[in-house]
């Protein structure tokens, strides 16, 4: 573990590359599994302006940018909260490795679940939006990270930190989705 911590720049670069690879794989999996291109072609029958290659590149780019943005925002939030609660001076780069791992594992787990259940329509999986898997994995990885990097942090602080991270990273999107749905349905009625 000391070797990993000494070579933090290398491990961060490797993790970033791995996350990018996972997100690209997930995008291609989604395109094929949910027939996104076929659905797009149905909509664009009268406007054959876009090709399938453009759609693939566009969707991959959007997912990649979204995934990287989520990781950066999570890392900034966890860095601030964890340093404040534990009174440590760890940097952004210290936290990015466990956060990348949590997101990679979450993506792989979701892809496995979708493939195992055999879903083939995005409308059949609204529960995936509300799934707390990513946040739970993040809390577990941060807990393990603190157990390895600094044994002086008490379990009580790690648990409080985990609850706070989970509450914010799951609660805020939940509130946003609820407000969006409420606004959408109010506009329909």
């Amino acid at each position: 573990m000391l070797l990993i911590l000494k070579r933090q720049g290398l491990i961060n670069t490797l993790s970033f590359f791995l996350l990018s690879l996972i997100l690209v794989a997930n995008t291609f999996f989604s395109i094929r599994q949910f027939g996104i291109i076929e659905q797009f072609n149905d909509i664009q029958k009268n406007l054959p302006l876009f090709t399938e290659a453009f759609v693939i590149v566009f969707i991959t780019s959007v997912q990649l940018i979204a995934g990287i943005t989520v990781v950066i925002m999570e890392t900034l939030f966890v860095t601030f909260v964890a340093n404040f609660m534990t009174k440590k001076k760890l940097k952004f780069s210290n936290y990015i490795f466990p956060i990348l791992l949590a997101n990679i594992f979450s993506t792989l787990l979701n892809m496995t679940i979708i493939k195992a259940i055999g879903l083939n329509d995005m409308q059949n999986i609204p529960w995936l939006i509300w799934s707390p898997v990513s946040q739970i994995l993040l809390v577990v990885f941060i807990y393990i990270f603190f157990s390895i990097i600094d044994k002086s942090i008490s379990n009580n602080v790690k648990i409080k930190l985990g609850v706070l991270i989970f509450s914010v990273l799951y609660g805020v999107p939940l509130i946003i989705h609820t407000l969006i749905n409420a606004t959408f349905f109010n506009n329909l009625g």
Side-chain angles (χ1 to χ4, degrees):
M1 191 62 195
L2 290 175
L3 182 64
I4 289 175
L5 293 176
K6 282 181 183 174
R7 307 247 186 251
Q8 197 66 42
L10 175 66
I11 202 72
N12 288 344
T13 305
L14 185 64
S15 300
F16 181 78
F17 174 75
L18 187 58
L19 177 67
S20 302
L21 195 65
I22 290 292
L23 287 170
V24 170
N26 181 42
T27 302
F28 285 122
F29 168 81
S30 300
I31 288 169
R32 180 186 290 166
Q33 188 73 15
F34 300 118
I36 290 172
I37 291 172
E38 290 79 5
Q39 291 174 20
F40 183 83
N41 285 340
D42 287 342
I43 295 168
Q44 295 292 330
K45 275 181 185 172
N46 297 326
L47 300 167
L49 182 62
F50 302 109
T51 64
E52 289 187 4
F54 175 79
V55 175
I56 289 172
V57 170
F58 177 74
I59 292 172
T60 304
S61 303
V62 167
Q63 263 197 334
L64 198 58
I65 291 165
I68 291 166
T69 304
V70 165
V71 168
I72 290 170
M73 288 171 61
E74 283 179 352
T75 307
L76 287 170
F77 170 71
V78 170
T79 303
F80 173 75
V81 172
N83 284 352
F84 179 77
M85 286 187 71
T86 61
K87 296 178 177 45
K88 301 291 175 186
K89 296 290 182 209
L90 292 172
K91 297 177 284 190
F92 178 90
S93 61
N94 294 114
Y95 293 97
I96 200 158
F97 180 63
I99 290 171
L100 278 169
L101 280 179
N103 281 281
I104 288 168
F105 275 90
S106 174
T107 302
L108 289 173
L109 189 62
N110 286 335
M111 286 171 64
T112 305
I113 290 170
I114 290 167
K115 190 69 176 171
I117 295 174
L119 295 170
N120 57 6
D121 186 1
M122 289 291 265
Q123 294 174 347
N124 292 336
I125 54 167
W127 52 268
L128 207 54
I129 295 170
W130 310 103
S131 174
V133 170
S134 179
Q135 293 85 356
I136 291 169
L137 282 172
L138 180 57
V139 169
V140 169
F141 275 90
I142 292 295
Y143 188 92
I144 293 168
F145 173 70
F146 274 121
S147 298
I148 293 169
I149 200 168
D150 193 342
K151 298 193 183 335
S152 68
I153 299 170
S154 69
N155 285 339
N156 189 28
V157 171
K158 286 189 278 192
I159 290 168
K160 285 179 182 174
L161 179 62
V163 169
L164 182 64
I165 290 170
F166 178 82
S167 300
V168 171
L169 294 180
Y170 185 63
V172 170
L174 191 69
I175 291 166
I176 291 169
H177 279 296
T178 305
L179 290 173
I180 289 170
N181 287 338
T183 306
F184 176 74
F185 288 119
N186 283 341
N187 289 340
L188 286 178

